[in-house]
């Protein structure tokens, strides 16, 4: 691993700290912003101190003593613990769902502080009792010192896992109750970073195993730890800055959504293409995918109008029978009813069979189911395209729609 990659977690941590520092004065929760700044500063210092090039440099100091390397390792690990302490403090300062307000919250703060102080003291005592030695790339211990250093690693790992579990659970519970938006996206990225952080913390058990088995463990972050920490801090940084990078991604997201809608509408558009007006043309590729989606929606609606003479009076009966034989979840029922009406009309149009009479048709109109649904709101092109995509999916995949079309096919074949 190159020296530059070894310091990647440090760069990412300091970048998060710089962003939070800029937000400190305008933040709605200055205490949380301050805690996140301290988290980033402590984590940046820890990852820099535990990076392999730093460990080698400490081992090569012109001092005939192992203490610089040993103390550097101990201070690096305890800085990581302090960073996680401030991370949990940031969650408490934001007053996210978790501990109750006022007294309960203050008691939780004090307990967290006492637990952290006890863990730091215990780590210091056990590590020093182990009389560990540092050779730059490894920390070693002999005899009973192995058990003491392994105890240090165990306390450090368990404390890290506890802090990250508290952080992930509280943030996830808060994100779950939010609607779509930059805040929910940011919190989900932070949760993802926390989950990677749990893997990073759990990797500490390899140090416990190495110390007990061989009396030796890595003196800093090995390549696996570097990549896990980098991924954790990158996801956390993206989540923390989600509100600021949303304007940069809004246009690509709109383009991707339009492209996806354009593809998903193709089955419905292709089925209706045969009955579209002769002067309907495809949107040229030079006009862009946004216009292509708009044109495809218009052509589908034109196809609905062209199919109206082929709406059969028995459409409602066939659709009800199809839904009885092949039940459809409530959330998909309206789209399935509309798709069934289209399928029946297409079957009749294919055989050039019109309804018995104009006034003999049902009152149903494609695109307006008999039961008015208040949860289907189509007041924009995005909403209309999303709805038609649902209809297209039912038209091509729903057994109920296929059954209704088969009923119309039998009717046409038998001549009514």
């Amino acid at each position: 691993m190159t020296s530059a990659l070894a310091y990647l977690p440090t760069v990412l941590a300091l970048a998060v700290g710089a962003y939070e520092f800029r937000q400190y004065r305008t933040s709605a929760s200055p205490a949380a912003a301050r805690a996140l700044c301290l988290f980033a500063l402590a984590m940046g210092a820890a990852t820099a101190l535990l990076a392999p090039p730093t460990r080698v440099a400490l081992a090569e100091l012109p001092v005939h003593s192992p203490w610089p390397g040993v103390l550097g390792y101990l201070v690096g690990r305890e800085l990581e613990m302090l960073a996680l302490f401030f991370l949990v403090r940031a969650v408490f300062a934001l007053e996210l769902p978790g501990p109750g307000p006022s007294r309960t919250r203050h008691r939780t703060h004090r307990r967290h502080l006492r637990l952290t102080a006890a863990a730091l003291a215990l780590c210091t005592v056990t590590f020093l009792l182990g009389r560990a030695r540092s050779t730059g790339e490894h920390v070693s211990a002999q005899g009973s010192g192995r058990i003491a250093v392994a105890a240090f690693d165990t306390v450090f790992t368990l404390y890290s896992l506890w802090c990250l579990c508290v952080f992930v659970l509280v943030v996830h519970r808060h994100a779950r109750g939010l609607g779509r938006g930059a805040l929910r996206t940011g919190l989900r990225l932070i949760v993802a970073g926390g989950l990677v952080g749990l893997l990073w913390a759990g990797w500490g058990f390899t140090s416990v195993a190495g110390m007990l088995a061989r009396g030796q463990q890595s003196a800093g972050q090995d390549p696996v730890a570097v990549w896990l920490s980098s991924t954790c801090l990158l996801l956390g940084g993206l989540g923390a800055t989600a509100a600021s990078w949303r304007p940069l991604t809004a246009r690509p997201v709109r383009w991707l959504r339009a492209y996806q809608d354009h593809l998903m509408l193709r089955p419905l558009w292709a089925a209706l293409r045969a009955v579209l007006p002769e002067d309907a043309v495809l949107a040229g590729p030079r006009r862009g995918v946004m216009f292509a989606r708009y044109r495809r929606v218009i052509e589908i609606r034109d196809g609905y109008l062209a199919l109206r003479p082929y709406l059969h009076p028995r459409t409602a009966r066939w659709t009800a029978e199809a839904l009885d034989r092949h039940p459809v979840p409530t959330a998909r029922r309206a789209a399935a009813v509309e798709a069934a009406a289209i399928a029946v009309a297409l079957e009749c149009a294919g055989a050039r069979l019109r309804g018995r009479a104009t006034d003999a048709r049902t009152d149903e109109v494609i695109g307006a189911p008999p039961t008015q649904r208040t949860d289907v709101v189509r007041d924009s092109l995005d909403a209309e395209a999303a709805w038609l995509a649902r209809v297209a999916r039912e038209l091509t995949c729903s057994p109920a729609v296929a059954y209704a079309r088969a009923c119309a096919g039998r009717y046409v074949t038998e001549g009514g």
Side-chain angles (χ1 to χ4, degrees), residues 323 328-338 367-379 387 390-391 394:
L323 293 175
V328 174
T330 304
R332 293 169 42 200
R333 192 176 183 88
V337 169
E338 185 168 324
T371 303
Q372 187 66 27
R373 292 177 56 87
T374 58
D375 59 331
V376 177
V377 180
R378 290 174 273 170
D379 56 355
W387 170 255
R390 291 172 59 186
V391 174
E394 297 295 333

Side-chain angles (χ1 to χ4, degrees), residues 274-315:
V275 295
L276 287 175
E278 294 182 358
D279 58 348
V281 294
L282 282 171
R286 295 182 180 179
R287 301 298 297 272
V289 70
M290 303 292 288
F291 181 79
R293 178 185 64 163
Y294 168 76
R295 184 58 182 268
R296 183 155 287 184
V297 169
I298 295 300
E299 290 182 346
I300 288 173
R301 284 305 179 187
D302 287 345
Y304 276 27
L305 293 175
L307 277 179
R308 292 187 68 177
Y310 301 99
L311 284 171
H312 198 275
R314 298 191 180 185
T315 298

